[in-house]
Amino acid sequence: SIVVVAAGNSNENANYSSPANCSDAITVGATSSAGNRASFSNYGDKVDISAPGVDIVSTLNSGAYSVGQDNVYASYNGTSMATPHVAAALALMLSYKPRLRPVDAENIIKQSVNSFAGGSCDNVGSGGCGTGILDASKAVSQLSSTAWRVANDFDGNGRSDVLFKQPIAGETGALLVAYLNKSKYALG
């Protein structure tokens, strides 16, 4: 199995934070929309990769049994908001190659990144934020001969909101993966 964990939100070395310091887990730090380490994100050599973790829209449980008039979305900050980006990219990878070994999945995900703004994750020498900022389309493309492209800016923020898989011969349709992308670094 592949275990993906949050680095923690204490602005300290992840070596001192659990579950971030567990061996064989993929530990995820958080980045800001500027492409640097989020001020709260734990850091260090235990962090494998970073992903957007500031102002991430999430659903809320309003307590209703059906969709109501109340607002059921809110924006949150945290490495626990960054971690699902990596887990989702891994799920897409496994949809193409279900028998992908965990070590291979980790290597691919850690290589499928964009650089931090300014070339490093922060300017205070935190000691590491992983290999870079997740690029989900790069990760999926490494396993698929089918072209994935980033398409459609539904919310008007100038960034794509979905991954789109072109259909290949014999398929009955294309696959759209909805992805509200508030960060310019998540999908590349």
Side-chain angles (χ1 to χ4, degrees):
S1 64
I2 302 170
V3 178
V4 184
V5 299
N9 301 321
S10 302
N11 187 29
E12 66 182 15
N13 193 313
N15 285 320
Y16 309 114
S17 181
S18 179
N21 61 2
C22 293
S23 61
D24 299 323
I26 299 174
T27 301
V28 182
T31 59
S32 68
S33 60
N36 295 312
R37 181 176 68 88
S39 61
F40 53 81
S41 182
N42 287 357
Y43 51 83
D45 62 358
K46 282 289 189 183
V47 178
D48 295 303
I49 191 168
S50 291
V54 174
D55 198 27
I56 304 299
V57 176
S58 183
T59 57
L60 294 174
N61 181 348
S62 67
Y65 291 100
S66 62
V67 177
Q69 297 298 317
D70 57 339
N71 185 1
V72 294
Y73 301 97
S75 292
Y76 290 102
N77 301 331
T79 56
S80 60
M81 301 309 292
T83 302
H85 291 98
V86 176
L90 286 162
L92 286 170
M93 291 166 54
L94 289 167
S95 74
Y96 272 95
K97 193 170 183 182
R99 296 183 190 272
L100 184 65
R101 295 180 321 149
V103 66
D104 295 332
E106 181 175 357
N107 288 334
I108 290 168
I109 210 80
K110 288 165 64 172
Q111 294 168 7
S112 302
V113 296
N114 292 316
S115 299
F116 295 101
S120 67
C121 66
D122 63 22
N123 58 4
V124 295
S126 67
C129 305
T131 58
I133 302 170
L134 171 69
D135 186 323
S137 62
K138 283 182 189 176
V140 172
S141 294
Q142 289 192 42
L143 296 173
S144 170
S145 59
T146 303
W148 280 83
R149 66 181 174 90
V150 180
N152 300 320
D153 176 17
F154 294 114
D155 60 4
N157 67 358
R159 299 179 209 117
S160 296
D161 301 316
V162 297
L163 283 175
F164 177 75
K165 178 183 160 296
Q166 301 283 11
I168 58 176
E171 287 185 335
T172 57
L175 173 67
L176 284 176
V177 179
Y179 189 89
L180 288 173
N181 182 12
K182 294 189 73 91
S183 169
K184 62 184 175 182
Y185 294 98
L187 296 176

